[in-house]
Amino acid sequence: MDYNFQRLTTITTSNTTTMAAPPPHANPITLLQAPTLMYGGLNLPTGPQRPPTDQDVVDSYRFLTRTAERHRRMANEPDSPQFVNDEAYAASIKYSHVVTEPALGVAAAPAWFQTWSHQHFRPFVNRIEREVGALRGNVATLQGDVTMIKRNVTTLMIRDCKDRNSELLVDDNGPWYEVPFPDGRMPWGLHVPLPNGRGNITLPSLDNMAALQSLTLSESYCYCAGYFPNDQVIAGPNTLLRRKKIATAIGVVLT
């Protein structure tokens, strides 16, 4: 069941002070529950009581510090299960602020405390949110750079492995070098889907001519699809044409 926190604002006249309540806020825990938020496996707080207890304040701050530490440590590892994204970090800051302020009784606090809150604490939160926004842009740029580096490294690996296979002064017994797919995946032992959703297979190693010659229909199809993702795979039960294309992709001549 939803419940509301009311942030009281102080209205001061010449002789009296009264309290007025703006439109109520939703349960603060909802700040942490957007589907796009990634907390890196951290458990969310159970949600504050009304009004927040001391334990609620401690839990919100503890969650903020854990989120901040993991956000800093895993900033360059977006594929890690412990990655905390910028949006989740910002949400934890907002949650801690919303829980802590009513518990402190900011609205009913002395004037000097309200002044401190408005002049220092809230600007601090706003600055953190701005910095998180800037960091989000930096991370996006870094991810683009990493993608470009990965693409360049894959191209160099393909060229080098094909050259080594074509220049090896050995017979068909190999061993041949493993040539990556254009997307960077290493194919030997890779689990790939069969066409038309007919299941999955594990690609065999192509380290010599016998392995290439013994490719099954499904294996030759999946190898062709991996090495030539932009081409229509040659159909039919005869694997010869597909094996010839695969040989070209890995830098050998089918015999």
Side-chain angles (χ1 to χ4, degrees):
M1 181 177 68
D2 289 342
Y3 61 97
N4 299 318
F5 276 98
Q6 295 182 341
R7 183 180 302 168
L8 300 179
T9 57
T10 304
I11 302 176
T12 304
T13 63
S14 58
N15 297 316
T16 61
T17 300
T18 59
M19 296 292 186
H25 298 287
N27 185 344
I29 197 66
T30 60
L31 292 169
L32 304 176
Q33 295 175 338
T36 57
L37 304 182
M38 301 168 59
Y39 292 103
L42 293 174
N43 293 324
L44 298 184
T46 57
Q49 300 183 34
R50 180 185 180 189
T53 64
D54 290 346
Q55 187 61 51
D56 293 330
V57 174
V58 170
D59 289 345
S60 70
Y61 182 74
R62 183 176 295 153
F63 180 71
L64 172 58
T65 55
R66 289 174 177 172
T67 304
E69 189 277 333
R70 191 163 295 186
H71 177 268
R72 176 191 58 79
R73 180 164 52 86
M74 309 302 297
N76 296 327
E77 300 183 40
D79 296 326
S80 169
Q82 293 189 335
F83 178 71
V84 173
N85 63 2
D86 296 337
E87 293 83 357
Y89 182 30
S92 68
I93 295 172
K94 295 175 184 177
Y95 175 79
S96 181
H97 178 65
V98 170
V99 171
T100 303
E101 184 175 288
L104 292 174
V106 172
W112 66 266
F113 189 86
Q114 295 186 52
T115 300
W116 174 85
S117 176
H118 286 280
Q119 293 183 356
H120 298 283
F121 184 68
R122 290 183 183 175
F124 168 76
V125 172
N126 293 336
R127 178 172 62 83
I128 291 296
E129 291 181 351
R130 289 194 300 270
E131 291 177 355
V132 166
L135 181 61
R136 185 183 300 116
N138 293 338
V139 170
T141 300
L142 179 61
Q143 289 175 336
D145 293 341
V146 170
T147 299
M148 181 179 65
I149 292 172
K150 180 181 177 181
R151 187 183 303 118
N152 292 339
V153 169
T154 299
T155 300
L156 291 175
M157 287 184 61
I158 291 173
R159 184 182 305 166
D160 180 64
C161 293
K162 286 181 65 176
D163 288 347
R164 288 174 180 268
N165 287 339
S166 64
E167 294 172 1
L168 279 176
L169 299 179
V170 296
D171 57 24
D172 291 346
N173 292 323
W176 296 340
Y177 286 85
E178 182 178 10
V179 179
F181 285 155
D183 61 7
R185 292 178 299 165
M186 304 302 289
W188 296 2
L190 183 67
H191 297 280
V192 293
L194 290 168
N196 302 322
R198 291 186 287 115
N200 298 277
I201 63 168
T202 301
L203 294 179
S205 301
L206 296 182
D207 53 358
N208 56 43
M209 187 60 67
L212 179 58
Q213 292 280 23
S214 62
L215 287 176
T216 66
L217 188 154
S218 296
E219 292 168 350
S220 64
Y221 185 99
C222 291
Y223 256 114
C224 265
Y227 279 124
F228 304 96
N230 298 321
D231 297 350
Q232 183 174 357
V233 179
I234 302 171
N238 191 333
T239 64
L240 178 60
L241 294 178
R242 290 193 291 274
R243 285 187 284 118
K244 285 183 176 180
K245 289 196 70 172
I246 297 167
T248 301
I250 64 176
V252 301
V253 177
L254 188 66
T255 58

